[in-house]
Amino acid sequence: NAGVTQTPKFRILKIGQSMTLQCTQDMNHNYMYWYRQDPGMGLKLIYYSVGAGITDKGEVPNGYNVSRSTTEDFPLRLELAAPSQTSVYFCASSYGLRANYGYTFGSGTRLTVV
Amino acid sequence: DAKTTQPPSMDCAEGRAANLPCNHSTISGNEYVYWYRQIHSQGPQYIIHGLKNNETNEMASLIITEDRKSSTLILPHATLRDTAVYYCIVRVAQEAAGNKLTFGGGTRVLVKP
């Protein structure tokens, strides 16, 4: 049981390049989330999904896209990288809507756009 | 979801209890209080949650005031490994909200030898 796995752990992108951050979970969780964390700040929600085929925007969705074709995977796509997207990206999952289902977070992807 | 207010930082001595306060004066009756922590840029880790009763698990205790406008997370015997940023989060558990958590700035806790 690996929990939430994120790849890559580190990446440097040039302005205008594209990439996909991968996130997979093996806990059969319905809910999945993408957060970003800028240095010294709290986490901000980018996108979330309540199940396969269903996604919705969070607080800071501009510049990102997501898809949820399976329960296990929730990739985050950056189409035209900008320096403002330099951040640490965390993927998380949760079993469901009941209050006692906490989040499980991945270890993060550290992205630098130069 | 109700907003929370936490002190930006606090120190505590190793082996002593650490009491982390959180104000949530606008909390609604169906909102839960959650605590997470983040150790040195790792992914946040769930600690505990509660609605109105005090809660305890292997990591910590959560004390919620009777009017539910504030709460305290207690780490009973702080260790150096408890040095982290602690987030107090209030939210409603409902499907329409997608079970989302909104993170504030948290409290940076430094446990000193």
Side-chain angles (χ1 to χ4, degrees), chain A residues 19-94:
Chain A
M19 76 165 294
T20 299
L21 283 66
Q22 301 291 345
C23 175
T24 186
Q25 52 91 9
D26 62 358
M27 298 171 285
N28 200 32
H29 283 175
N30 295 320
Y31 291 65
M32 296 188 74
Y33 312 83
W34 275 105
Y35 286 87
R36 62 175 286 175
Q37 185 174 34
D38 298 334
M41 306 295 287
L43 284 76
K44 293 185 178 180
L45 182 65
I46 306 172
Y47 271 96
Y48 68 99
S49 168
V50 300
I54 305 170
T55 62
D56 207 346
K57 296 178 180 179
E59 182 184 359
V60 289
N62 292 341
Y64 307 94
N65 281 298
V66 294
S67 59
R68 184 95 182 271
S69 57
T70 67
T71 299
E72 294 78 18
D73 300 307
F74 191 40
L76 178 71
R77 178 79 176 165
L78 283 69
E79 290 295 346
L80 293 170
S84 61
Q85 294 177 305
T86 294
S87 191
V88 180
Y89 292 84
F90 290 102
C91 179
S93 70
S94 173

Side-chain angles (χ1 to χ4, degrees), chain B residues 6-112:
Chain B
Q6 299 177 252
S9 65
M10 62 181 294
D11 295 343
C12 65
E14 185 180 20
R16 304 294 292 270
N19 297 292
L20 283 63
C22 180
N23 285 320
H24 31 79
S25 59
T26 60
I27 192 170
S28 300
N30 60 347
E31 289 182 310
Y32 290 76
V33 179
Y34 290 79
W35 284 85
Y36 283 75
R37 73 179 183 183
Q38 187 174 26
I39 298 173
H40 190 53
S41 299
Q42 297 177 17
Q45 176 189 24
Y46 166 81
I47 301 173
I48 198 168
H49 77 280
L51 181 62
K52 54 183 178 181
N53 298 321
N54 298 336
E55 303 287 346
T56 296
N57 62 20
E58 65 278 4
M59 291 182 66
S61 295
L62 174 61
I63 308 298
I64 302 174
T65 59
E66 190 169 348
D67 64 6
R68 301 187 69 239
K69 293 185 177 182
S70 66
S71 60
T72 302
L73 179 74
I74 301 172
L75 307 177
H77 304 287
T79 71
L80 299 180
R81 289 176 294 180
D82 291 322
T83 291
V85 178
Y86 287 77
Y87 296 99
C88 171
I89 300 167
V90 174
R91 77 164 176 88
V92 176
Q94 60 184 29
E95 187 170 3
N99 201 31
K100 301 190 298 293
L101 292 176
T102 301
F103 289 80
T107 296
R108 189 171 299 274
V109 174
L110 176 61
V111 180
K112 296 182 175 180

Side-chain angles (χ1 to χ4, degrees), chain A residues 6-25:
Chain A
Q6 292 184 238
T7 57
K9 293 188 183 302
F10 303 93
R11 184 71 185 270
I12 298 175
L13 276 183
K14 294 183 177 180
I15 295 172
Q17 286 186 323
S18 301
M19 76 165 294
T20 299
L21 283 66
Q22 301 291 345
C23 175
T24 186
Q25 52 91 9

